[in-house]
Amino acid sequence: MASILFRNGAREWQNPIMHWLIRRYRVAVRAAIVHRNVTVGISTILFLIAIYLTVGGPIGSEFLPHLDEGSIWVRGTLPPSEGPTASIDFANKARVIMASFPEVKQVVSQTGRPDDGTDTAGFFNTEYFVDLKPKKQWRALFHQDKEALIAAIDKQLSQFPGVIWNYSQPISDNMEEAVSGVKGQLAVKLYGDNLRTLESTADLIQSQMATVRGVADLGIFRIVGQPNLNFTVDREAAARWGINVADVQDAVQTAVGSNAITQVQQGEARYDVTLRYQKQYRDTREAIENIRLLAPSGERVSLAQLTKVSTDDGAESINREGGQRYIAIKFSVKGRDLGSTVEEAISKVEHNVKLPSGYHLEWAGEYASQKRANKRMALVIPITVLAIFLILYTMFRSFKWSMLILISVIMASIGGPLALFLTRTNFSVSSAVGFLALFGVSVETGVIMIEFINQLRSRRKGMEESSKEHIIEAAVEGAVLRLRPVMMTMLVATLGLLPAATSHAIGSDSQRPFAIVIVGGLLANLVIGVFLLPTLYVWMAGENDVLPAADASEEF
């Protein structure tokens, strides 16, 4: 194509901006090589700052960025004893409050469990799908901030006493529940045997977690609270009347539950025929207490005379996992990064709450996923660096040049943590993958410069100038002549990812940390790497270095 388009030849145009940059860069890179202690010292200080930002706390951590779905999933948990009538009435009132916000397009509610039986929740569970208008149509007081809108909705819903509210998003809510088995972003699971001990210990854990900054939507999924009508047989009274304890228990079972009295056979199937009292004789406490038993003396004795009747709170539900009972404490994190918030909560609970013997805790949900991802990344990153080193060694046939490129890449990649810190972005799996991509692009630019400098040294080998002067001149000349391709490589990738790094539209949340790391890292590499790599090259180079065969026909 070039031969067709330029049949009459071509004339090279000198870019004045690039010409000015090259002249300034030639002077600067020579000064960086001469004052190598200053160059390496500044790079080392910046590298240590980047390490501190990453592991010292200024940069928060999370599993994955939360994708804005353009809607809110609200869950209101009522006391376990709520029935369908009260629950539906409550849901209607809550739905009206949510729909009163101009930012809300529509609200759809559901009460209890779904018809397909995939959820065991009772009528105490109410859920709401809140569809939102585009953020451009929101009132100015929210500044297009979804968390501010949720806070305003929560303030209005807090007028209902005894209700635990939780705010998430439709897809996120399903994913979080599938991961942890609990209806909430994050959860603490307390495992043990006794239901009341589980609840009392969970209350202590909740009180400690409430003091942690960033913990929101904190609540306990109660397992005790269902009113139970208990009939305890008074053995002394039963003995006075001459009635067996088994007869009293059988009377309660027959009246309220039912007993099989015979069977009906239809083909090969057999069905029990059960008998129990009519509804008006068993639907209230007084009716059950008035059930009569025949004493040996012929007198009819009521259950109230034979038992001690009480209404107590019993088990509303019993959750099991791994063959053990557990109670869940759900919470979310707002206004702070997930990693430091959960770690502070773990520290406070471990120091201030003593678990009963045989009881243990498990921190589930997104935090557990983050820990698993960190373990995998701790394995993947060293393997990636090792693979890059082996490829470089195969190319250069030199341990020195391979290590030189790796050192310069790691030192020059400090822009990633700095970019995360300046943009207040948490470190996540997305940003970790961005670092891996950054290493690849940085290695490419390092190979371009080292290969060219080695080629210049091979071509000039044997000249009268001293070996050290020869190395310095080759490093300076190679760095200057490769500045344009290095800048093109860096800037093309940077400008290509800049829209993703600055976008805040729906769907951009997951890609933004990835792009921020690469853009920040490449910009820092462009500023630091073009000075650090030639400086380290001159420092490490010697007379017996492995160099490629000189290509006299190649023009640079």
Side-chain angles (χ1 to χ4, degrees):
M1 292 181 63
S3 62
I4 296 174
L5 296 175
F6 302 101
R7 292 179 179 178
N8 299 327
R11 182 173 60 88
E12 182 180 0
W13 174 68
Q14 294 292 334
N15 188 329
I17 298 178
M18 199 67 207
H19 183 67
W20 180 85
L21 281 175
I22 289 176
R23 284 192 294 110
R24 297 295 186 276
Y25 176 65
R26 186 187 298 273
V27 176
V29 73
R30 186 179 292 275
I33 293 174
V34 172
H35 303 90
R36 63 186 184 185
N37 291 333
V38 176
T39 304
V40 175
I42 292 175
S43 300
T44 303
I45 291 173
L46 292 175
F47 178 71
L48 293 177
I49 292 174
I51 293 295
Y52 168 72
L53 292 176
T54 304
V55 301
I59 298 178
S61 63
E62 61 184 357
F63 174 51
L64 282 173
H66 291 172
L67 185 67
D68 186 5
E69 301 175 23
S71 58
I72 305 173
W73 188 261
V74 183
R75 177 179 288 107
T77 305
L78 307 176
S81 59
E82 288 290 348
T85 304
S87 180
I88 293 173
D89 181 62
F90 167 80
N92 293 335
K93 294 178 180 178
R95 188 172 63 246
V96 170
I97 291 177
M98 298 180 204
S100 65
F101 283 80
E103 291 75 17
V104 175
K105 187 185 300 182
Q106 61 178 343
V107 181
V108 181
S109 65
Q110 62 183 39
T111 300
R113 63 174 66 101
D115 294 336
D116 58 7
T118 55
D119 197 338
T120 59
F123 290 108
F124 62 86
N125 184 69
T126 63
E127 300 179 6
Y128 311 84
F129 170 72
V130 183
D131 193 13
L132 302 178
K133 296 178 181 178
K135 290 185 177 180
K136 294 181 180 179
Q137 301 179 20
W138 290 14
R139 288 173 289 176
L141 63 96
F142 294 118
H143 305 288
Q144 298 186 9
D145 185 2
K146 192 173 182 180
E147 293 298 327
L149 176 60
I150 291 175
I153 294 175
D154 183 64
K155 185 177 180 181
Q156 293 294 323
L157 293 176
S158 61
Q159 63 180 279
F160 298 105
V163 181
I164 301 175
W165 293 102
N166 184 74
Y167 302 90
S168 182
Q169 301 182 106
I171 299 176
S172 299
D173 182 79
N174 289 328
M175 292 298 297
E176 291 160 358
E177 186 175 354
V179 170
S180 66
V182 178
K183 299 178 185 295
Q185 177 187 1
L186 298 161
V188 187
K189 293 181 179 179
L190 173 62
Y191 294 86
D193 298 326
N194 188 277
L195 298 181
R196 298 192 182 278
T197 303
L198 286 173
E199 282 227 341
S200 61
T201 308
D203 288 330
L204 296 177
I205 295 173
Q206 182 186 32
S207 63
Q208 291 298 320
M209 294 180 62
T211 63
V212 178
R213 182 178 62 87
V215 171
D217 302 332
L218 183 61
I220 300 174
F221 287 100
R222 300 289 176 180
I223 54 178
V224 175
Q226 181 68 41
N228 288 347
L229 186 59
N230 295 324
F231 289 82
T232 305
V233 178
D234 187 344
R235 293 180 177 271
E236 293 183 358
R240 285 197 302 269
W241 290 102
I243 298 176
N244 295 328
V245 173
D247 294 335
V248 178
Q249 294 173 338
D250 185 66
V252 176
Q253 170 68 26
T254 304
V256 180
S258 64
N259 271 333
I261 58 173
T262 185
Q263 287 185 330
V264 174
Q265 184 173 356
Q266 292 183 355
E268 296 182 357
R270 296 175 180 271
Y271 302 95
D272 288 336
V273 177
T274 60
L275 176 68
R276 68 174 176 174
Y277 282 23
Q278 293 184 9
K279 186 176 181 180
Q280 63 267 30
Y281 301 114
R282 56 178 171 84
D283 61 349
T284 64
R285 172 175 175 169
E286 292 74 16
I288 299 175
E289 289 178 344
N290 198 40
I291 293 175
R292 303 285 175 163
L293 281 79
L294 185 63
S297 62
E299 296 181 82
R300 294 188 175 273
V301 185
S302 68
L303 280 179
Q305 296 173 277
L306 299 170
T307 60
K308 296 178 182 179
V309 186
S310 62
T311 302
D312 304 312
D313 284 340
E316 187 276 327
S317 63
I318 299 178
N319 303 316
R320 287 184 173 273
E321 190 173 84
Q324 286 185 293
R325 293 176 175 179
Y326 77 88
I327 186 172
I329 306 155
K330 62 93 178 175
F331 67 103
S332 59
V333 176
K334 294 180 181 178
R336 189 179 175 185
D337 69 288
L338 181 143
S340 65
T341 303
V342 178
E343 286 168 6
E344 182 182 346
I346 292 175
S347 176
K348 286 195 173 185
V349 170
E350 288 180 348
H351 286 86
N352 300 321
V353 179
K354 183 177 181 178
L355 300 181
S357 177
Y359 288 66
H360 67 278
L361 284 174
E362 178 184 313
W363 297 79
E366 195 173 331
Y367 178 75
S369 300
Q370 178 189 352
K371 287 299 182 183
R372 289 193 296 268
N374 289 344
K375 289 182 180 179
R376 293 192 186 100
M377 295 304 296
L379 178 65
V380 169
I381 290 179
I383 292 176
T384 302
V385 174
L386 178 62
I388 292 175
F389 173 80
L390 293 177
I391 294 172
L392 290 174
Y393 185 82
T394 303
M395 176 181 179
F396 289 107
R397 298 293 178 183
S398 170
F399 178 84
K400 179 188 291 185
W401 304 139
S402 303
M403 285 302 300
L404 175 60
I405 292 177
L406 281 184
I407 292 172
S408 63
V409 165
I410 294 174
M411 295 285 285
S413 299
I414 64 176
L418 288 174
L420 291 176
F421 175 72
L422 294 175
T423 58
R424 298 180 180 274
T425 303
N426 293 328
F427 183 85
S428 62
V429 174
S430 177
S431 53
V433 175
F435 275 104
L436 295 179
L438 175 62
F439 289 161
V441 178
S442 301
V443 166
E444 180 184 355
T445 59
V447 169
I448 292 173
M449 189 171 291
I450 294 296
E451 179 67 18
F452 194 81
I453 295 174
N454 284 341
Q455 188 61 235
L456 285 179
R457 286 182 62 188
S458 297
R459 294 180 63 193
R460 296 180 180 182
K461 196 171 185 179
M463 294 185 178
E464 294 182 358
E465 58 182 333
S466 67
S467 175
K468 199 62 179 177
E469 292 179 354
H470 167 64
I471 292 174
I472 293 175
E473 289 302 321
V476 172
E477 192 67 21
V480 169
L481 293 178
R482 293 296 92 181
L483 180 62
R484 178 180 293 183
V486 168
M487 287 184 62
M488 289 178 61
T489 303
M490 297 286 193
L491 291 177
V492 166
T494 300
L495 296 176
L497 286 172
L498 192 59
T502 57
S503 175
H504 289 272
I506 291 180
S508 65
D509 305 83
S510 58
Q511 67 186 13
R512 189 165 55 249
F514 172 83
I516 287 175
V517 167
I518 296 179
V519 170
L522 290 180
L523 289 176
N525 199 358
L526 183 59
V527 175
I528 299 173
V530 294
F531 295 102
L532 181 62
L533 187 57
T535 302
L536 292 176
Y537 184 94
V538 173
W539 200 341
M540 298 175 64
E543 294 184 5
N544 300 321
D545 291 336
V546 177
L547 300 174
D551 188 358
S553 62
E554 186 175 357
E555 295 183 1
F556 299 101

